[in-house]
Amino acid sequence: MVLKIFFPQCCNRADSGLLVGRWVPGFDSVVVLAVIHYPFIPGQVKKYLSEMQSAIQLELTVLGSWSMPKDGQEGMDSFLKDLSTIFPQGRWLQLSRELGKRGFACDDEKEKVIFIHYDQRKVMLSHLHPAHGQEPAAEGVSELRLVFQTVAQSQPLFFLDKYDDGPIKLTHWQSEGREASILVELIKQASVPMCLVLTWLLSLWTQLRILNMWPVRFVSSKLSTCVQLSHRTEHLQTISSPRRAQQHADFMRKANIFVSFLVDIALGLLLISWLYRENRIGRLANTLVPVADHVAKELQELLQWLMGAPAGLKMNRALDQVLGRFFLYHIHLWISYIHLLSPFIEMILWYVGLSACLGLTFALSVVSDIVALLTFHIYCFYVYGARIYCLKIYGLSSLWRLFRGKKWNVLRQRVDSCSYDLDQLFIGTLLFTILLFLLPTTALYYLVFTLLRLGVVLLQGFIHLMIDIINSFPLFAGGLRLFRPYRLAEGVKFKVLCEEPGMSLHLMMEINPLKLSTAVQQYRIPTYSCYPKDSWAALCKKLFVGDLIYPWTPLHKGSKED
Amino acid sequence: MSEEKFTDINGKPISLECRSHSSFCREFVVSAPKVSLRAVMVCTCAVWLSAYAAFFVTKNTAVLSSAIVTTLVGMMVHIHLIKIDHERLLIVGSLGVQVSSCFASGRESATFIEMSSIKDIVINEAIHMQRVIYYLCILLKEPSDPNGVSGVVPLFQSSKPRLNCLVKIYKSCQEILGQC
């Protein structure tokens, strides 16, 4: 069998010493983690290794000896052989390298050896993702995964370096001295009290919400601003938990939420700084009422057109007049309310615009709510038209069955034949005829108002799509993939390093990063929006029958009126 | 290290290079013919002549600049994403198999499959359009069923060598797989 030695690149030029690492269980391979230099006291080395073993929970052992003789250092061979008696273990490796030659030699091994060079810092920081279609639980027996886990778990081993005053002098990736950034350390120190403060504030806020009674809760479930507020509160609760994230997925989720929250607020502040300059709010408020007036006027003209002979169709005059006047009166009421509110609109807009400092998503949800409120009359007309049409259709279908002598059996949920009395048949046929001839009028009103409602729904849907994208896009994962691609690893790549004749095989192991699309898909933040579950066919059927369509309902509300 | 000339299933010349790094590590490189200068000139001339004709009709210089931009972008996309220069198979006994394809711009995309998940390397037949072709593929092990195959990874998909080339590679791979 071939022995695979995973050798860190930082130890290529290390002075002679002992190799410390781990034998990978179940495979014929070994991971070298560090080199301990001469002079050392074997007792202290053993004590240090047992301390490390309890800290890391891995079986760290002395693997063998490493010799890179400098000028004038001869006669190490017998010394190195004697070392193997001091440290008891199963196998003893003796690696050596000569200055001027690029290859290593592994003495004393009759079998073949492969040296796999790896970049210790990158392997330590990276997370190997499970391959396509495999669950993480089934991954235990992969050799590479064990190697990655070994290096990642050995972080405490890399704290001591060459310049420390202790008895042990190690070479590993941090052996030139540990680097740290002041900003990062300050942020780490400040983050714990900040998290506690945030948790306390959020607990106050949630206690406040419990006191809300049913009407407020009903209203807040309809307004998308309140839904967005509760969603962000959940996010903040996730971030502000003072426990460190243990799993990689939890850490990525926290980081993604944090970064997208910051970007959201930054965009919101940018919007505020643009909006509150040059009295744009005043101009916006001044155009809002004329726009509402204009919409109402257009609706009135539309209704006048429907009350006449729309597109050449001949309507039933009486029903036409009744429906038309009913809707016209509604529009008149709506316009009066708008005019009543018009002096306060600028102030309301000014204060509501300030909510954009909570994030761009809030500004967009406020816009969506304003659109919903301004087109409330269209929604009402749609509901009236749909209900009348729905009643008519159900009545028609039931009387059509009577016309043919059949009946709907509620117990058996099927159509059965039934013998009706003569007067039942007479009244039924009369009603059927009336409903049938009134159908075109109601159908036309229903069609017009459904189209208007669908237009408004499309607009609101587009705004909600924007909000959803901002909410769910994992900016941290995308940025990590672009700037530190080795941290999200899909696999590894090997390159054969040019060999000299007679030397063993040397391979260079590099990290193969995850594709950007896979990274974004995997680390998407889950959001509250549920896209319409109906297929196009179901939607068309609902429209035809006259059932009310609700394009979206918040997920946590549960019941959808389908 | 030896280089031989073969043909692919469409009759175009390809070359196979076998390198043996050690007794258990071998590398096979199948190279497709490079981007031909004649094809590039023909495409560019066709696009620019049609752009000049459009300019003659519409008298709008935006047509010419858009033709230039289209040609440049098209060429960059072709050499970076479409045109595969050579495909490489690196087999290291008891470690695994690495399959990589190198594009004409130098970009290399590699996949490594560990030896513990490889069941075997075989030559399969496939029906491709109106003919039957041979292709080399790696069979992956199913974790739950020792006799099952969980997936098939086809090799040399863009160069598509013929059977004589595939047999050479197959024999070499089987020697290494038989050792571990």
Side-chain angles (χ1 to χ4, degrees), chain A residues 4 114 142-143 492 494 512, chain B residues 24-25 94-95 98 110 112 114:
Chain A
K4 290 159 275 193
I114 307 180
S142 157
E143 181 179 8
V492 294
F494 287 96
N512 202 9
Chain B
F24 49 84
C25 172
S94 86
L95 188 63
Q98 172 164 296
F112 179 73
E114 283 187 70

Side-chain angles (χ1 to χ4, degrees), chain A residues 156-394:
Chain A
L157 185 64
F158 303 135
F159 285 166
L160 278 186
D161 56 44
K162 269 202 301 220
Y163 300 105
D164 280 329
D165 281 334
I168 316 269
K169 300 218 180 314
L170 291 168
T171 299
H172 44 71
W173 70 272
Q174 265 190 341
S175 58
E176 297 301 313
R178 286 183 64 200
E179 289 176 8
S181 151
I182 290 189
L183 276 179
V184 170
E185 296 298 318
L186 279 176
I187 292 178
K188 276 193 205 164
Q189 295 297 323
S191 66
V192 172
M194 288 248 319
C195 277
L196 290 173
V197 165
L198 206 56
T199 322
W200 176 73
L201 282 175
L202 282 174
S203 65
L204 281 183
W205 169 245
T206 41
Q207 274 168 15
L208 205 69
R209 281 201 325 163
I210 287 174
L211 299 173
N212 281 353
M213 287 292 116
W214 174 83
V216 182
R217 222 173 333 144
F218 176 73
V219 166
S220 73
S221 74
K222 297 290 175 208
L223 288 177
S224 57
T225 316
C226 302
V227 173
Q228 175 71 14
L229 192 67
S230 73
H231 186 58
R232 277 291 185 222
T233 320
E234 276 169 32
H235 278 176
L236 281 178
Q237 276 174 336
T238 324
I239 303 179
S240 68
S241 75
R243 279 180 303 120
R244 279 189 70 126
Q246 300 294 49
Q247 298 286 339
H248 174 83
D250 290 334
F251 166 69
M252 291 297 283
R253 165 92 77 89
K254 271 186 158 185
N256 278 327
I257 291 180
F258 185 64
V259 171
S260 76
F261 191 62
L262 282 183
V263 168
D264 196 18
I265 293 190
L267 286 175
L269 290 174
L270 213 68
L271 182 69
I272 285 187
S273 75
W274 176 80
L275 205 60
Y276 280 78
R277 243 183 268 170
E278 298 168 18
N279 198 17
R280 285 211 176 91
I281 293 273
R283 280 195 276 165
L284 196 67
N286 288 342
T287 55
L288 213 60
V289 174
V291 160
D293 264 346
H294 178 73
V295 166
K297 214 173 291 302
E298 291 290 321
L299 266 181
Q300 276 174 336
E301 280 179 19
L302 180 71
L303 282 168
Q304 295 289 352
W305 181 67
L306 281 177
M307 277 172 31
L313 297 167
K314 195 156 184 295
M315 300 277 110
N316 180 298
R317 287 226 27 107
L319 185 62
D320 219 359
Q321 296 286 324
V322 162
L323 286 176
R325 281 208 213 123
F326 177 64
F327 290 135
L328 276 173
Y329 179 63
H330 264 86
I331 295 180
H332 171 76
L333 277 179
W334 184 248
I335 289 297
S336 324
Y337 286 140
I338 296 274
H339 280 266
L340 210 66
L341 273 182
S342 61
F344 305 111
I345 287 214
E346 174 162 358
M347 198 166 60
I348 295 177
L349 268 185
W350 206 89
Y351 284 112
V352 158
L354 278 183
S355 75
C357 72
L358 290 170
L360 186 64
T361 42
F362 275 98
L364 285 176
S365 17
V366 161
V367 167
S368 160
D369 283 336
I370 288 180
V371 164
L373 284 175
L374 280 183
T375 57
F376 189 63
H377 47 332
I378 295 182
Y379 175 64
C380 284
F381 291 169
Y382 165 70
V383 171
Y384 298 150
R387 286 278 184 238
I388 296 180
Y389 179 75
C390 179
L391 275 173
K392 187 165 284 224
I393 290 285
Y394 275 114

Side-chain angles (χ1 to χ4, degrees), chain A residues 1-2 4 6 27 112-114 116 134 141-145 492-494 496 499 505 507 512, chain B residues 20-25 27 90 92-95 98 108-112 114 116 143 179-180:
Chain A
M1 278 296 287
V2 180
K4 290 159 275 193
F6 288 85
F27 295 93
K112 304 167 234 180
V113 168
I114 307 180
I116 302 175
Q134 276 176 310
V141 283
S142 157
E143 181 179 8
L144 284 173
R145 198 166 287 278
V492 294
K493 272 191 291 213
F494 287 96
V496 179
E499 69 269 19
L505 182 67
L507 294 173
N512 202 9
Chain B
S20 176
H21 297 287
S22 100
S23 62
F24 49 84
C25 172
E27 191 174 359
L90 173 72
V92 183
S94 86
L95 188 63
Q98 172 164 296
E108 183 158 353
S109 87
T111 327
F112 179 73
E114 283 187 70
S116 53
Q179 279 175 10
C180 50

Side-chain angles (χ1 to χ4, degrees), chain A residues 483-538:
Chain A
F483 299 113
R484 300 267 184 274
Y486 55 83
R487 290 200 54 172
L488 301 170
E490 193 182 30
V492 294
K493 272 191 291 213
F494 287 96
K495 205 168 64 158
V496 179
L497 297 173
C498 56
E499 69 269 19
E500 288 147 19
M503 289 283 170
S504 338
L505 182 67
H506 288 263
L507 294 173
M508 174 76 206
M509 181 171 93
E510 283 160 353
I511 295 185
N512 202 9
L514 212 56
K515 283 200 258 287
L516 191 60
S517 53
T518 324
V520 164
Q521 212 171 350
Q522 183 151 4
Y523 290 112
R524 274 195 66 201
I525 311 171
T527 54
Y528 56 80
S529 80
C530 54
Y531 292 103
K533 305 276 193 308
D534 299 319
S535 61
W536 289 108

